[in-house]
Amino acid sequence: MSSIDIPREQWATRAGFILAAVGSAVGLGNIWRFPFLTAESGGAIFVLVYLLLVALIGLPVMLVEFVIGRRSERNPIGAFRRLGHPSWRFAGAIGAFAGFVILSYYSVVGGWVLQYIVASFSGGYGGDAELFFVETASGTNAIVSHAAFMGLVAGIVALGVREGLERAAKVMVPSVIVLLVILAGYGATLPNASTGYQFYLNPDVSTFASDAVSILPAAAGQAFFTLSLGMGVMITYSSYLGEDRDLLNDSIIIVVIDTFIAILAGLVVFPFLASQGVDLETGGGGAGAVFISLATAFESMPAGHLVGGLFFIMLAIAALSSAFSILEVVVSFVTDTFDVDRVPATIGLAAVIFVVGIPTATDLNYLDAYDLFANNILLIVGGLLLSIFIGWVYAPDALEELGQGRGGNGLFDTYWITVVRVVVPLVLLYTVYLAVVEYIEFLQGTFF
Ligand code: PFF
């Protein structure tokens, strides 16, 4: 039976929806990807552009997904059919493809986290945090832990234990915040911390215009990635929402929590990187930056291995609830399109995604290649198509839907539809153009 015929359940409580959406949004994107991308992209200027894009593009696109999900009560593939525009299904297909690629390396990084949990409780990170990272992120270690992470995600999806995950998210979000605050406090005491803050928080406004353009694709990709946009996760989650909920209110809560955690992660990572003498102006440590700086911190702070163990467990839960949401979308795409059952589809897809991810487990250049392609291009194209659909094909109904649960449309709604029609498509089109040019250069410089 396809999902079209199943009567729709709803979230039991408002908290259920927020927790699931926050569980998807908060993950490796906040704690691993945001700091390392910031380090790579010039620091404070990147943070500024990222924050602007979250507010100007991220929030409106999240509402686009919420409107589609709640209106259609379907996942992204069924949604367009239900809304009377089945030809737009290809937008859902692009999202599912993005999810497929993202999960293949997200699971590799999730595997690193699993290895760091084990290390925290069994004698630490080998004394040399950099060497430890290299050993974690290469060879058999990386492949085995990638398999373990993927197995966990597939198990959760196959068993359909979303509730367990929501309960875990309830503990995860406050714990992550508390641990990050403790670590940020410790970081503030380190020698040279101010160099880190300077790089992270003090943008050079005089070069803003030229710098902003060059980091636009990275900042836009990160905004989409961290908010779980562009691949239909938020369509799926909001499809279980009742008409009495205020979509705007819920989206603001989700965006604020997600952004807060990312900013906090930077407040931890940058003083540590600076105090370890990493040259921030020249790129700051790459994909390993967070793992290396945190492991060094845990080696030196009081009760560090215990704090480290707890931290990596929380990070694993955050990563699992995000990965879960991605696999959900990919699995529903396949079960809806090809009429296969859920459990075999989950196992088969997890196996294929595992294999596709293997190159990224053995070579960080592949990880960059997958990551740039999926985030800076596919997610943005996904968001672009959804926004064009809502802005130009479905606007009156979309506005009506946004007004539900809020007593009709207000000034914000006019602002929203205008942004979705004009600003979002223009900015994203330009971003995709820049991203494609950059991607071709990256591939030529790295592999040829
Ligand atoms: N938002 C997640 C993170 O920041 O780790 C990753 C992610 C989940 C991206 C779901 C995309 C997605 F659809």
Side-chain angles (χ1 to χ4, degrees):
M1 185 160 86
S2 87
S3 65
I4 296 295
D5 309 306
I6 304 173
R8 206 63 171 173
E9 297 168 51
Q10 289 192 356
W11 297 101
T13 60
R14 170 159 181 244
F17 166 67
I18 304 249
L19 280 173
V22 168
S24 171
V26 174
L28 297 169
N30 307 62
I31 292 166
W32 161 68
R33 199 171 187 273
F34 172 72
F36 110 69
L37 217 60
T38 304
E40 242 176 40
S41 317
I45 188 83
F46 175 84
V47 178
L48 195 60
V49 176
Y50 159 78
L51 289 175
L52 282 173
L53 287 176
V54 163
L56 195 74
I57 310 282
L59 185 78
V61 173
M62 184 175 284
L63 283 170
V64 162
E65 295 208 13
F66 283 176
V67 162
I68 296 176
R70 188 168 74 172
R71 187 77 168 183
S72 66
E73 305 185 319
R74 296 291 177 270
N75 67 46
I77 305 91
F80 294 103
R81 224 181 297 153
R82 176 74 190 263
L83 299 180
H85 298 276
S87 54
W88 280 83
R89 282 175 64 195
F90 76 102
I94 289 180
F97 180 58
F100 181 88
V101 180
I102 289 177
L103 190 53
S104 75
Y105 70 85
Y106 201 85
S107 163
V108 168
V109 182
W112 302 348
V113 177
L114 297 182
Q115 291 188 60
Y116 275 80
I117 295 178
V118 175
S120 303
F121 292 113
S122 62
Y125 320 98
D128 181 341
E130 213 161 330
L131 185 68
F132 185 79
F133 175 74
V134 172
E135 283 167 0
T136 301
S138 58
T140 324
N141 289 344
I143 296 175
V144 171
S145 61
H146 166 42
F149 188 88
M150 207 55 227
L152 283 172
V153 183
I156 297 170
V157 172
L159 298 173
V161 287
R162 192 178 64 207
E163 277 166 38
L165 213 63
E166 271 157 41
R167 249 173 265 143
K170 215 180 240 170
V171 191
M172 177 272 287
V173 173
S175 314
V176 163
I177 293 177
V178 169
L179 285 167
L180 286 175
V181 168
I182 293 173
L183 290 168
Y186 180 56
T189 67
L190 297 174
N192 238 350
S194 58
T195 317
Y197 297 134
Q198 178 76 13
F199 176 78
Y200 180 45
L201 298 173
N202 193 6
D204 180 355
V205 248
S206 65
T207 58
F208 179 78
S210 57
D211 291 352
V213 168
S214 71
I215 56 187
L216 192 61
Q222 175 61 15
F224 272 66
F225 185 82
T226 190
L227 296 174
S228 298
L229 298 177
M231 30 174 291
V233 166
M234 293 302 179
I235 294 181
T236 309
Y237 280 5
S238 58
S239 69
Y240 304 99
L241 265 181
E243 292 292 345
D244 53 335
R245 300 291 163 70
D246 181 343
L247 296 178
L248 173 61
N249 190 64
D250 289 0
S251 65
I252 291 175
I253 295 176
I254 297 161
V255 169
V256 168
I257 295 178
D258 186 77
T259 308
F260 178 67
I261 293 183
I263 295 295
L264 207 51
L267 284 176
V268 173
V269 171
F270 285 100
F272 283 113
L273 287 179
S275 78
Q276 284 155 27
V278 172
D279 183 1
L280 292 169
E281 299 302 329
T282 57
V290 176
F291 287 90
I292 296 168
S293 62
L294 285 176
T296 314
F298 297 139
E299 291 288 11
S300 70
M301 72 190 284
H305 290 175
L306 182 63
V307 179
L310 289 176
F311 179 83
F312 287 120
I313 288 175
M314 290 308 142
L315 188 55
I317 295 175
L320 279 173
S321 53
S322 302
F324 164 85
S325 69
I326 307 180
L327 189 57
E328 265 283 309
V329 171
V330 182
V331 167
S332 31
F333 181 79
V334 168
T335 50
D336 274 16
T337 313
F338 302 106
D339 216 20
V340 259
D341 284 335
R342 184 175 181 83
V343 173
T346 306
I347 296 172
L349 277 166
V352 177
I353 292 173
F354 165 71
V355 173
V356 170
I358 289 178
T360 71
T362 57
D363 183 341
L364 292 180
N365 280 328
Y366 279 102
L367 195 138
D368 280 346
Y370 280 43
D371 182 69
L372 284 177
F373 174 62
N375 284 287
N376 296 9
I377 301 175
L378 289 180
L379 287 187
I380 304 295
V381 171
L384 177 64
L385 293 172
L386 296 179
S387 302
I388 293 175
F389 173 74
I390 285 297
W392 296 94
V393 181
Y394 205 68
D397 299 83
L399 276 170
E400 191 194 350
E401 189 61 44
L402 184 64
Q404 297 276 3
R406 301 171 44 237
N409 293 127
L411 203 58
F412 174 83
D413 304 55
T414 314
Y415 161 79
W416 173 72
I417 200 72
T418 313
V419 169
V420 167
R421 275 185 158 217
V422 184
V423 183
V424 173
L426 287 178
V427 174
L428 293 188
L429 257 182
Y430 183 48
T431 306
V432 171
Y433 161 74
L434 293 174
V436 170
V437 172
E438 188 192 322
Y439 195 60
I440 293 170
E441 279 169 14
F442 167 82
L443 290 181
Q444 284 170 341
T446 311
F447 295 109
F448 303 107

